[in-house]
């Protein structure tokens, strides 16, 4: 038989919200209900007959509730196949069949998120609940498992619309859910115990899935696994695509560098910043960022560190963009920008990045620490005869932040807290510099007094010589080449100040 009627149920849950209609429905169907602890009290308080598990097993709940359902009279009734040999054993041992198991596990992840007290965390590791879930899911051909309160709706339909009769396909679907929940739960516990990474094991589990419009290309399907709503509220626009999310991630990473700065605007295209500016007002920051490369800004990703104002929104509205991100929007700005229904407007709640980054490649996964380090003026070591001025130092810090988030090989040119030229993703650092200079000049910027940042050291003096000839007066780079002295000599010859950081920021 593929159908099974619920005649008996074991109900043991942590959260009681939503449980009332379930047990009411079971009672109306005449289902025998077994339960434990607080769940038993909840059911009894509704005027429903319930058999304590202690009465079934002949043993009380012991060890402060750590052992309640771990008993053959419970698991035997769940795991028995509805076949003659198993049913005969149940009869001989006076073990009742259990047709339905409803479990909601201790909130381990929530406890970890809300406290550092290890004793409280350890007590929220569910043992009996996990065992019940796995047992019922294993025997899905005969037993219906409801592994979380999120699945109450499914059970309610079976009770109300089908008289408590389930199909094999329904039981298998819930068994799949059960093993997803149990494996996720175990992964969360392992992650807690392996916080220092002593065991070299890669485990990651995300239960929240969001289907994307498409993948990197329209012929590719894609799904985002994670809790995007914890970071953003989408206020307007079409559903996000793979490329949108990759660009948004890049935008968040770069804006983290400027989160506490004066009003800042950043424009990105294909994960690379094509406009970055800090100014006294948001509108000025927008205009300066756009001026950095108004051509690439078309169809880009925009992000600011201040609530978006109407005057800025009116200017932005003249441009076609994919996504606009801000910590908030004034009512008038939101009303204006929402008129274009496809443009995505995201309100960010925080710009936190995960401490670990990973990606699939070859036949495995590579994991690394996220590059969260940024060098300020305190980390600069002047290696030339001329020291950078105060204004140059501020621009060097700014340029270093930009270069860190551009694809290698990269060069960032900055003047007066504005990205005025960049070259990225080049196979030659000289090509990257020439690209940056050309961009700056094409958009009407003078390089006299500008500064330059490189994501890695200069193996030859050529970039320094080209930069000095273009009017660049200060350079920041990691240093560490065996030919550093050649670059330093070229900088001295061009009266260019050069500082090193000792830290490389390749971005592949």
């Amino acid at each position: 038989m593929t159908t099974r009627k619920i005649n008996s149920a074991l109900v043991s849950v942590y959260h009681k919200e939503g449980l009332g209609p379930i047990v009411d429905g079971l009672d109306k169907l005449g289902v025998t209900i077994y339960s434990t602890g607080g769940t038993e009290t909840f059911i009894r308080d509704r005027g429903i007959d319930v058999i304590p598990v202690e009465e079934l097993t002949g043993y009380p709940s012991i060890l402060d509730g750590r052992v309640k359902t771990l008993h053959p009279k419970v698991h035997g009734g769940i795991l028995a196949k509805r076949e003659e040999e198993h049913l005969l054993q149940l009869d001989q041992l006076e073990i009742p069949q259990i047709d339905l198991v409803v479990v909601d596990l201790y909130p381990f992840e929530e406890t970890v998120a809300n406290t550092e007290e290890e004793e409280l965390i350890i007590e929220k590791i569910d043992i009996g609940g996990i065992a019940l879930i796995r047992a019922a899911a294993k025997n899905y051909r005969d037993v219906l498992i409801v592994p979380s309160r999120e699945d109450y709706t499914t059970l309610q339909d079976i009770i109300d619309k089908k008289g408590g009769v389930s199909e094999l396909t329904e039981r298998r679907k819930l068994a799949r859910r059960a093993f997803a929940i149990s494996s996720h739960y175990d992964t969360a516990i392992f992650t807690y115990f392996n916080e220092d990474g002593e065991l070299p094991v890669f485990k990651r589990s995300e239960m929240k899935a969001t289907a994307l419009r498409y993948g990197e290309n329209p012929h590719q399907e894609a799904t985002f696994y994670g809790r995007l709503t914890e970071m953003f509220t989408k206020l307007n626009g079409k559903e996000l695509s793979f490329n949108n999310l990759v660009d948004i991630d890049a935008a968040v990473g770069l804006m983290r560098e400027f989160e506490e700065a004066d009003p800042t605007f950043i424009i990105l295209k294909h994960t690379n910043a094509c406009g970055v500016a800090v100014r006294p007002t948001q509108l000025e920051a927008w205009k300066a960022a756009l001026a950095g490369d108004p051509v690439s800004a078309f169809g880009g990703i925009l992000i600011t560190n201040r609530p978006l104002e109407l005057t800025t929104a009116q200017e932005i509205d003249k441009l076609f963009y994919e996504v606009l991100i801000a910590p908030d929007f004034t009512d008038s700005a939101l009303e204006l920008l929402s008129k274009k229904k496809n443009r995505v407007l995201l309100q960010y709640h925080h710009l936190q990045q995960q401490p670990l980054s990973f990606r699939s490649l070859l036949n495995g996964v590579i994991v690394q620490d996220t590059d969260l380090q940024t060098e300020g003026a305190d980390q600069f070591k002047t290696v030339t005869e001329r020291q950078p001025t105060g204004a140059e130092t501020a621009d060097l810090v700014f340029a270093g932040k930009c270069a860190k988030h551009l694809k290698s090989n990269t060069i960032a040119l900055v003047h007066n807290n504005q990205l005025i030229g960049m070259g990225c993703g080049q196979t030659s650092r000289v090509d990257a510099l020439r690209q940056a200079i050309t961009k700056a000049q094409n958009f009407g910027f003078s390089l006299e007094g500008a500064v330059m940042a490189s994501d890695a050291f200069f193996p030859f003096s050529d970039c320094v010589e080209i930069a000095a000839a273009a009017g660049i007066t200060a350079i920041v780079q990691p240093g560490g080449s065996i030919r550093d002295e050649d670059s330093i000599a070229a900088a001295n010859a061009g009266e260019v100040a050069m500082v090193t950081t000792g830290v490389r920021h390749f971005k592949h």
Side-chain angles (χ1 to χ4, degrees):
M1 290 178 61
T2 61
T3 59
R4 287 284 185 267
K5 189 175 190 307
I6 301 170
N7 294 305
S8 60
L10 172 60
V11 184
S12 180
V13 300
Y14 184 86
H15 295 101
K16 311 302 186 294
E17 295 85 356
L19 183 63
I22 296 290
V23 293
D24 290 346
L26 292 174
D27 184 52
K28 288 179 182 178
L29 292 176
V31 173
T32 301
I33 301 176
Y34 301 92
S35 192
T36 64
T39 308
E40 176 196 337
T41 301
F42 174 86
I43 297 171
R44 198 178 303 282
D45 287 347
R46 295 183 74 86
I48 298 173
D49 289 337
V50 57
I51 300 173
V53 166
E54 291 93 329
E55 185 177 313
L56 170 63
T57 64
Y59 278 86
S61 173
I62 62 172
L63 306 178
D64 298 320
R66 284 188 167 196
V67 180
K68 296 190 288 279
T69 58
L70 297 171
H71 193 280
K73 284 206 169 184
V74 173
H75 285 272
I78 296 170
L79 282 164
K81 298 177 182 178
R82 278 30 174 190
E83 298 173 356
E84 183 177 356
E85 183 178 347
H86 279 197
L87 294 177
L88 180 61
Q89 290 183 54
L90 293 187
D91 287 341
Q92 291 172 341
L93 298 170
E94 298 182 341
I95 299 175
Q97 299 176 41
I98 295 176
D99 307 314
L100 166 67
V101 175
V102 183
V103 177
D104 181 52
L105 297 169
Y106 292 166
F108 178 80
E109 287 181 280
E110 293 91 330
T111 306
V112 171
N114 294 322
T115 183
E116 294 182 358
E117 190 173 341
E118 186 170 62
E119 185 174 349
L120 292 176
I121 292 171
I122 297 302
E123 286 307 311
K124 288 298 184 290
I125 298 176
D126 204 318
I127 302 300
I130 281 287
L132 291 172
I133 286 174
R134 289 175 60 83
K138 175 176 180 174
N139 202 26
Y140 72 90
R141 290 187 175 276
D142 299 306
V143 177
L144 183 66
I145 173 63
V146 177
S148 79
R149 54 182 167 166
E150 294 178 3
D151 300 298
Y152 285 176
T153 301
T154 302
L155 176 57
Q156 196 75 61
D157 286 345
I158 291 172
I159 293 171
D160 296 341
K161 298 178 182 179
K162 304 180 69 175
V165 177
S166 65
E167 300 288 341
L168 179 61
T169 54
E170 294 172 310
R171 296 194 298 277
R172 196 177 196 283
K173 182 177 180 180
L174 281 166
R176 182 166 60 240
R177 273 277 299 161
F179 285 119
I181 287 170
S182 66
S183 63
H184 176 81
Y185 197 77
D186 284 343
T187 297
I189 295 169
F190 169 77
T191 300
Y192 171 75
F193 277 96
N194 199 46
E195 187 176 15
D196 58 3
E198 184 176 347
L199 279 180
V201 176
F202 177 76
K203 287 184 180 291
R204 179 80 178 191
S205 178
E206 290 289 351
M207 293 291 288
K208 180 68 175 176
T210 303
L212 304 177
R213 291 205 320 273
Y214 52 80
E216 199 163 6
N217 297 289
H219 63 273
Q220 295 170 269
E221 294 184 359
T223 303
F224 174 76
Y225 294 94
R227 291 153 288 188
L228 204 59
T229 54
E230 291 183 3
M231 289 191 67
F232 303 104
T233 297
K234 186 158 79 73
L235 303 176
N236 187 71
K238 57 190 176 182
E239 295 304 311
L240 296 168
S241 70
F242 175 99
N243 292 332
N244 289 155
L245 288 181
V246 173
D247 284 332
I248 290 167
D249 179 67
V252 166
L254 181 51
M255 184 53 82
R256 279 189 73 254
E257 311 283 0
F258 296 95
E259 189 172 6
E260 303 301 324
D262 287 340
T264 303
F265 237 105
I266 298 172
I267 305 171
L268 299 97
K269 193 70 171 290
H270 302 313
T271 75
N272 290 301
C274 55
V276 184
V278 177
R279 289 292 183 266
T281 70
Q282 185 182 71
L283 180 58
E284 291 175 287
W286 163 251
K287 289 181 177 180
L290 181 61
D293 188 345
V295 175
S296 296
F298 183 84
I301 307 293
L302 321 178
I303 186 168
T304 182
N305 64 345
R306 293 288 191 277
L308 196 79
E309 302 164 354
L310 177 60
T311 53
T312 312
Q314 289 169 333
E315 292 298 315
I316 291 174
D317 199 47
K318 300 174 183 177
L319 177 77
F320 170 74
Y321 60 90
E322 285 279 345
V323 181
L324 171 57
I325 310 166
D328 204 353
F329 294 75
T330 65
D331 291 343
S332 54
L334 182 60
E335 181 182 2
L336 172 66
L337 296 174
S338 296
K339 290 178 180 178
K340 296 180 178 176
K341 300 302 182 184
N342 284 336
R343 308 285 170 81
V344 177
L345 304 179
L346 295 179
Q347 178 185 0
Y348 72 75
H349 310 308
H350 63 82
L351 297 178
Q352 182 179 351
Q353 287 188 289
Q354 298 185 69
L356 294 178
S357 301
F358 48 88
R359 61 182 293 184
S360 61
L361 51 76
L362 301 177
N363 63 343
V365 175
I366 189 167
V367 181
Q368 67 169 349
D369 295 333
T370 301
D371 186 2
L372 300 176
Q373 183 170 327
T374 303
E375 293 69 52
D378 291 345
Q379 286 79 47
F380 288 176
K381 176 185 176 183
T382 303
V383 294
T384 49
E385 296 167 0
R386 187 172 83 77
Q387 296 272 345
T389 66
E392 287 173 334
T393 298
D395 276 347
L396 288 170
V397 173
F398 188 109
K401 292 176 179 179
C402 293
K404 171 186 169 183
H405 292 270
L406 292 165
K407 292 292 181 67
S408 301
N409 288 316
T410 192
I411 294 289
L413 305 181
V414 167
H415 190 229
N416 188 26
N417 286 331
Q418 179 185 20
L419 181 66
I420 61 173
M422 64 84 172
C424 63
Q426 301 301 307
T427 53
S428 159
R429 198 158 302 280
V430 171
D431 288 343
L433 174 56
R434 286 178 173 152
Q435 182 188 54
I437 290 173
T438 299
K439 273 183 170 287
Q441 292 173 340
N442 284 347
F443 295 118
F445 292 103
S446 169
L447 293 174
E448 293 295 331
V451 308
M452 176 174 84
S454 172
D455 61 337
F457 60 62
F458 300 116
F460 305 101
S461 62
D462 44 13
C463 281
V464 178
E465 292 164 352
I466 294 169
I472 291 166
T473 57
I475 297 171
V476 59
Q477 54 117 341
S481 169
I482 59 174
R483 301 185 64 171
D484 272 350
E485 290 304 319
D486 293 351
S487 295
I488 295 170
N492 284 328
E495 298 183 355
V496 173
M498 180 185 288
V499 300
T500 59
T501 63
V503 180
R504 185 187 77 187
H505 291 289
F506 270 157
K507 188 174 179 66
H508 285 284

